[in-house]
Amino acid sequence: MKKHLFLNLSSLIGGSLFVGAEAHVERNGYLEVEAEAFSAQHADEVRRWYRIDEAPLDLPEPDGDETHLGGASGGAYLELLPDTRRTHDDPLLRGENFMPDPGEMAILTYKVEFNNPGRYYCWVRAYSTGTEDNGLHLGINGEWPESGSRMQWTAKKRWQWDSKQRTQEKHSGELGKIWIDVPHKGEHSIQFSMREDGFEFDKFILTKASPEDEQPAKVRQDAASNAQVATESDRVDGQGEIQVAGTMKVWQPVTLTLDGPFAHEQDQDPNPFTDLRFSVTFAHEESGINYTVPGYFAADGNPGETSAQAGTKWRAHLSPDVPGDWSFETHFEGEDKALYDGLTGSFVVSGKGEDEPGFYAEGRLQYRGEPYLQFADSGRSFIKAGADAPETLLGYADFDGTEARKRKVPLKTYDAHRQDWKKSDPTWKNGKGKGLIGALNYLASEEMNAVSFLTYNAGGDGDNVWPFVSRDDKFHYDCSKLDQWNVVFTHAQAQGIFLHFKLQETENDDRRRKKNAGDDAVDPSLDGGDLGPERSLYLREMIARFGHHLALNWNLGEENTQSTEQQLAMARLIQKTDPYGHHIVLHTYPNQQDKVYRPHLGEDSVLTGLSLQNSAVTDCHHQVVKWAELSAASGKKWAIAFDEPGSAGIGMPADPDYPGMPDDYDGPSIHDVRKYTLWGTLLAGGWGVEYYFGYKLPQNDLNCEDWRSRDRSWDYCRYALRIFEEESLPLTEMTNHDELIGNPKHDNSRYCLAKPGAVYLIYLPEGGECQLAGVEDVASYRLSAYRTETGTKVEDRLIEGSPSELPTAEGEILYIVRLNEA
């Protein structure tokens, strides 16, 4: 089908096309106009708007794409041709294929009779095939206000309504910034001009309702029906071919891709996420290992690069434990899909190399009934330290379908960390992702090994992260966005960075109104907090797409307020669905811990640990001791971490000399955090810390884009991690024994972690004298001492006699006492 120039003209004067004089009429603050119903076109010598419909007629070249009449309103639309800039690599020629200044090129005019003057917000329905055909300008009566400049679309390969302005802070566009002011009643000229060639324009709406308050009904209806944009000729099912790809090494992802039934991520009947279900059983006969791995719809198989929403690819990831021959069998549920069910095959996995990156060198991180997670291959106990902020880590401008809904929480660029990106590192879509990938590189360079993030925060503090195609559509998932998330997660694992999945936050974990949830027309909670179809699908999608990663935990939710029954149902489904048995934790408010955690104690607990929070950085040690002792006494030892230490406003402060830190700041210092949070947690028997940044100080929990703001605190963590690694401590046999050094109440005066009769870690935050009980009959011991502020080992010697009286220390110190060493 060829495109053609709209020829039904009344006159052609001075290069302007006049296609009719009748004015469109605004009524009750609302107007809806087909793009092809313009009154005039001018300034079109270089680029011109052409009507695209069924009638065949040659058009100027180049164009480069097919028509998109499927779904076009009225069976026609306008396209700005020729189109010479289709990708970021094509030359950008100002005044030819790009015009940043509004009102200069290819101007369309629409006569409109306004009955109600005032401010009107503009929505435009457009089709974008890439990143270089998605911009337009809006004007009125020959004037081109800033509020009409740089309309921007991010949706790809479908007709999409939007009302966003590209800004310096947010290139993907900010909602609510596209508007014009109509000065008085009567006829006015509404105008659109070129920003990028190749733009495809179907329709526009002018409405007095702000986009931040209300979407026009037409926009809502269009979003609901947009799922069926693929024509019948596009809907050709795959033939059942299977590809198995990966490095084919132990522990590294093996990806099985099925060429299965065609689907679009917004299809309703059948819905590829609820009506069709793909999974694969992988088996290793020699060892007896087998995993039934949930699969997922993967669009064209490469949506992170193409932004595809439709295709025939269905995918599952194996994380192989052992080398050798593996077999697979597919399972496909859905009407008339027997062709894809029961397909079998095999592949060979080799052993790991000598220098595998990150966690691939040690294997899956496992909970084994002890307070410390351990690596399956190396058996090493894992101690973590890293960033709990920003919680909106995934509210990133370079991810598809990601938008800011709160002006105080813009999308992140992580520009401060672009310098940390390396040429060998991954990106997507012509260089996107460098900021966030670089940020992970920085953490890894500081030897930090953990990062946490929310995967769903609709209605929450950030309100900018969700895995769905749109915020309120909980049954359709965004294939390209999630593919891009996985690029980041995969890189983190190769850098040795643990992934802390916080699956929801307090504002959306149940149906009860929370102060920040707003008056959402759609309840942001999944099934109101219950385990219903929304929550079950969400958990399955997260596990199917990301559960193959080696080092992670599933956190039921930040500051969780669901009922015990709701928490149990959620945890049990995770346990049932996750073939790899990852760590499952729960987090709640400091003043609700007994109410929330105690019902989960017991040898049959589904939880394998806790993620603790407090209101002061000095309030960590005794809390970890308490829950470690209670869980051990109940029959199942929990692995406990302190993941949100400090007050809500402050958390862990930035370095004192970081730009923006108040000169008169008198809150907890970075030294307090080191002493009472870091070492207080570790010597209580906790398996690590993540630092929360509060909301009052620079680079805080919602807007942090520069992890160098806490550079000195990362140094302190690195020193601690190195000490634990270099000393090769028997951590699974060690528990807190503060009573041996005269601190039975577990205050912050001194801490002791010990395997009595063998090894003792004794930390004195302020130095001083220390007596160790129960060692009076010891004949000799080795004493090591570290200055924890610098990580310096200041003493390491064999001593004849008993360690009951340790040397008096001048200032903060860590002693390690090993008994009976010759």
Side-chain angles (χ1 to χ4, degrees):
M1 182 190 303
K2 295 184 179 179
K3 308 172 185 178
H4 79 287
L5 171 64
F6 179 56
L7 295 177
N8 185 17
L9 317 178
S10 60
S11 59
L12 178 59
I13 303 174
S16 299
L17 293 177
F18 291 86
V19 301
E22 184 177 346
H24 307 282
V25 180
E26 168 270 319
R27 292 183 176 87
N28 300 317
Y30 183 86
L31 173 73
E32 188 176 315
V33 179
E34 294 283 350
E36 56 270 24
F38 58 90
S39 304
Q41 175 176 189
H42 69 282
D44 53 359
E45 296 83 4
V46 180
R47 292 291 185 273
R48 176 177 290 186
W49 295 95
Y50 291 85
R51 175 183 170 116
I52 311 301
D53 62 17
E54 294 287 354
L57 195 70
D58 289 335
L59 289 173
E61 296 291 344
D63 181 354
D65 61 352
E66 295 300 317
T67 60
H68 302 118
L69 290 171
S73 176
Y77 61 93
L78 299 181
E79 184 169 7
L80 193 53
L81 297 172
D83 179 13
T84 61
R85 190 164 196 259
R86 299 184 51 75
T87 73
H88 191 71
D89 294 331
D90 295 328
L92 186 150
L93 304 173
R94 181 174 177 143
E96 183 173 327
N97 57 23
F98 176 70
M99 176 46 66
D101 301 323
E104 295 293 328
M105 289 180 65
I107 301 170
L108 293 171
T109 298
Y110 299 80
K111 292 182 181 180
V112 177
E113 183 74 26
F114 283 92
N115 296 306
N116 300 280
R119 178 157 297 178
Y120 282 80
Y121 295 88
C122 183
W123 291 81
V124 168
R125 191 171 191 255
Y127 193 108
S128 175
T129 56
T131 60
E132 310 305 327
D133 62 353
N134 58 353
L136 190 66
H137 301 297
L138 167 69
I140 180 171
N141 300 329
E143 297 181 354
W144 300 87
E146 169 62 21
S147 62
S149 299
R150 305 179 306 282
M151 292 191 76
Q152 184 80 8
W153 283 257
T154 54
K156 300 292 181 285
K157 299 184 179 180
R158 72 173 187 264
W159 288 109
Q160 175 77 29
W161 286 102
D162 226 329
S163 180
K164 294 179 183 175
Q165 183 180 58
R166 178 187 175 98
T167 63
Q168 185 173 358
E169 294 79 17
K170 186 180 178 185
H171 289 187
S172 59
E174 294 189 45
L175 192 68
K177 291 195 171 184
I178 293 295
W179 46 266
I180 54 171
D181 286 328
V182 177
H184 55 77
K185 290 178 62 174
E187 186 174 291
H188 297 274
S189 294
I190 302 302
Q191 297 173 300
F192 295 90
S193 73
M194 168 182 150
R195 187 170 187 272
E196 295 172 323
D197 65 5
F199 190 89
E200 300 183 22
F201 183 12
D202 186 36
K203 206 168 189 176
F204 72 91
I205 289 173
L206 295 177
T207 176
K208 285 202 163 190
S210 166
E212 294 179 309
D213 298 329
E214 178 185 355
Q215 289 187 352
K218 180 68 70 174
V219 174
R220 296 196 302 271
Q221 294 165 6
D222 200 54
S225 63
N226 205 22
Q228 307 298 339
V229 295
T231 65
E232 288 304 315
S233 62
D234 292 329
R235 292 182 172 274
V236 178
D237 289 343
Q239 298 302 304
E241 295 178 355
I242 288 177
Q243 290 185 339
V244 178
T247 63
M248 310 310 288
K249 293 181 181 180
V250 166
W251 301 123
Q252 300 194 26
V254 173
T255 298
L256 183 149
T257 302
L258 166 70
D259 190 26
F262 180 94
H264 188 286
E265 64 186 21
Q266 295 189 62
D267 278 349
Q268 299 284 0
D269 187 18
N271 180 329
F273 304 100
T274 60
D275 299 326
L276 305 177
R277 179 149 294 185
F278 177 57
S279 60
V280 180
T281 295
F282 295 96
H284 186 269
E285 184 176 357
E286 183 178 346
S287 66
I289 295 173
N290 71 82
Y291 296 117
T292 296
V293 177
Y296 61 92
F297 173 57
D300 67 348
N302 193 26
E305 288 291 337
T306 64
S307 293
Q309 297 172 297
T312 60
K313 306 305 180 186
W314 300 75
R315 184 162 284 166
H317 301 289
L318 170 70
S319 172
D321 311 58
V322 291
D325 295 329
W326 285 79
S327 64
F328 65 81
E329 181 178 3
T330 66
H331 313 285
F332 209 104
E333 301 174 36
E335 188 175 352
D336 299 325
K337 305 303 179 190
L339 171 64
Y340 312 111
D341 186 56
L343 301 176
T344 60
S346 63
F347 53 89
V348 178
V349 172
S350 65
K352 65 183 181 184
E354 294 182 0
D355 193 24
E356 300 295 354
F359 296 127
Y360 302 124
E362 296 188 85
R364 188 177 303 115
L365 193 58
Q366 299 175 322
Y367 170 77
R368 295 179 173 177
E370 299 292 342
Y372 299 92
L373 306 184
Q374 296 170 275
F375 289 104
D377 237 14
S378 68
R380 180 173 70 92
S381 294
F382 181 62
I383 300 290
K384 74 169 179 176
D388 179 64
E391 67 176 35
T392 55
L393 182 80
L394 301 179
Y396 181 38
D398 282 4
F399 289 140
D400 283 0
T402 304
E403 62 183 59
R405 292 171 53 89
K406 295 187 175 183
R407 293 183 179 179
K408 292 185 179 180
V409 192
L411 295 187
K412 294 168 178 57
T413 63
Y414 303 104
D415 283 343
H417 287 296
R418 289 178 68 88
Q419 63 179 308
D420 300 303
W421 181 85
K422 302 173 184 176
K423 288 184 178 180
S424 59
D425 289 335
T427 60
W428 58 89
K429 294 178 67 172
N430 296 317
K432 289 189 175 184
K434 291 181 179 179
L436 182 49
I437 294 294
L440 294 174
N441 286 350
Y442 165 74
L443 279 186
S445 73
E446 290 291 307
E447 299 179 29
M448 296 301 95
N449 59 14
V451 67
S452 76
F453 44 85
L454 287 161
T455 49
Y456 180 50
N457 71 0
D461 294 331
D463 203 1
N464 58 6
V465 177
W466 47 85
F468 321 126
V469 294
S470 62
R471 177 181 181 270
D472 298 330
D473 185 350
K474 300 168 188 171
F475 291 114
H476 296 92
Y477 282 72
D478 190 324
C479 295
S480 62
K481 178 198 295 187
L482 296 178
D483 207 30
Q484 292 158 6
W485 284 10
N486 197 48
V487 172
V488 173
F489 298 155
T490 301
H491 184 70
Q493 297 282 279
Q495 294 295 309
I497 295 177
F498 176 91
L499 301 171
H500 183 161
F501 284 81
K502 293 186 288 191
L503 295 169
Q504 57 191 346
E505 65 177 319
T506 189
E507 289 84 4
N508 66 16
D509 62 19
D510 57 30
R511 186 167 282 125
R512 286 172 287 182
R513 288 284 81 184
K514 307 293 175 64
K515 66 179 181 179
N516 294 326
D519 296 321
D520 293 287
V522 176
D523 178 9
S525 70
L526 301 171
D527 302 307
D530 293 334
L531 184 64
E534 294 172 347
R535 187 174 301 273
S536 297
L537 175 61
Y538 170 66
L539 296 175
R540 188 183 193 278
E541 287 291 322
M542 294 299 100
I543 293 168
R545 294 173 186 273
F546 311 126
H548 62 284
H549 292 301
L550 296 177
L552 63 86
N553 66 220
W554 307 114
N555 187 331
L556 301 190
E558 186 229 15
E559 295 172 341
N560 189 280
T561 60
Q562 290 170 281
S563 69
T564 299
E565 292 74 19
Q566 290 171 331
Q567 292 162 351
L568 281 171
M570 187 175 175
R572 285 169 179 155
L573 184 66
I574 294 172
Q575 185 184 59
K576 177 182 177 181
T577 308
D578 181 359
Y580 304 116
H582 289 297
H583 190 38
I584 302 174
V585 303
L586 181 58
H587 178 275
T588 195
Y589 290 99
N591 62 357
Q592 295 187 22
Q593 291 182 3
D594 282 293
K595 173 185 174 182
V596 172
Y597 295 152
R598 282 185 181 275
H600 292 285
L601 289 166
E603 60 183 356
D604 296 325
S605 176
V606 185
L607 298 183
T608 53
L610 297 180
S611 172
L612 293 181
Q613 173 182 357
N614 63 15
S615 299
V617 299
T618 55
D619 195 27
C620 298
H621 182 75
H622 75 92
Q623 288 191 42
V624 176
V625 172
K626 170 184 174 177
W627 292 108
E629 291 181 346
L630 284 173
S631 64
S634 76
K636 184 173 185 177
K637 299 175 184 178
W638 281 342
I640 301 166
F642 233 105
D643 294 327
E644 197 167 337
S647 68
I650 301 299
M652 186 188 74
D655 292 348
D657 56 354
Y658 188 80
M661 275 296 287
D663 293 335
D664 59 351
Y665 174 73
D666 62 355
S669 71
I670 60 175
H671 306 294
D672 293 331
V673 174
R674 178 185 70 251
K675 293 176 181 179
Y676 307 117
T677 296
L678 175 61
W679 285 102
T681 295
L682 296 180
L683 268 70
W687 68 282
V689 297
E690 292 172 3
Y691 287 152
Y692 161 76
F693 298 169
Y695 61 82
K696 291 183 177 179
L697 298 178
Q699 299 294 327
N700 62 51
D701 185 40
L702 292 177
N703 66 24
C704 177
E705 299 190 60
D706 183 6
W707 276 324
R708 282 188 173 84
S709 59
R710 273 74 178 175
D711 189 79
R712 287 170 63 183
S713 288
W714 305 138
D715 291 342
Y716 301 149
C717 290
R718 180 172 67 253
Y719 304 151
L721 295 180
R722 285 183 176 179
I723 290 170
F724 272 78
E725 182 176 355
E726 292 170 3
E727 292 291 338
S728 300
L729 299 164
L731 288 175
T732 57
E733 302 173 65
M734 300 177 74
T735 54
N736 178 266
H737 285 280
D738 289 345
E739 76 282 357
L740 296 179
I741 55 172
N743 185 19
K745 294 185 178 180
H746 308 295
D747 61 32
N748 286 322
S749 62
R750 55 196 60 210
Y751 312 139
C752 177
L753 182 73
K755 177 184 177 183
V759 59
Y760 303 78
L761 270 68
I762 299 166
Y763 177 73
L764 308 178
E766 306 300 332
E769 298 178 353
C770 183
Q771 291 80 40
L772 177 60
V775 293
E776 292 77 13
D777 297 332
V778 172
S780 65
Y781 66 98
R782 176 177 290 277
L783 178 68
S784 303
Y786 289 87
R787 292 296 180 189
T788 48
E789 184 175 359
T790 62
T792 306
K793 195 172 194 177
V794 294
E795 189 168 4
D796 187 20
R797 61 193 175 100
L798 285 171
I799 300 176
E800 296 296 326
S802 168
S804 56
E805 288 282 345
L806 295 174
T808 300
E810 295 294 332
E812 174 187 0
I813 200 161
L814 173 73
Y815 287 127
I816 301 178
V817 176
R818 297 181 188 269
L819 302 187
N820 304 315
E821 289 204 2

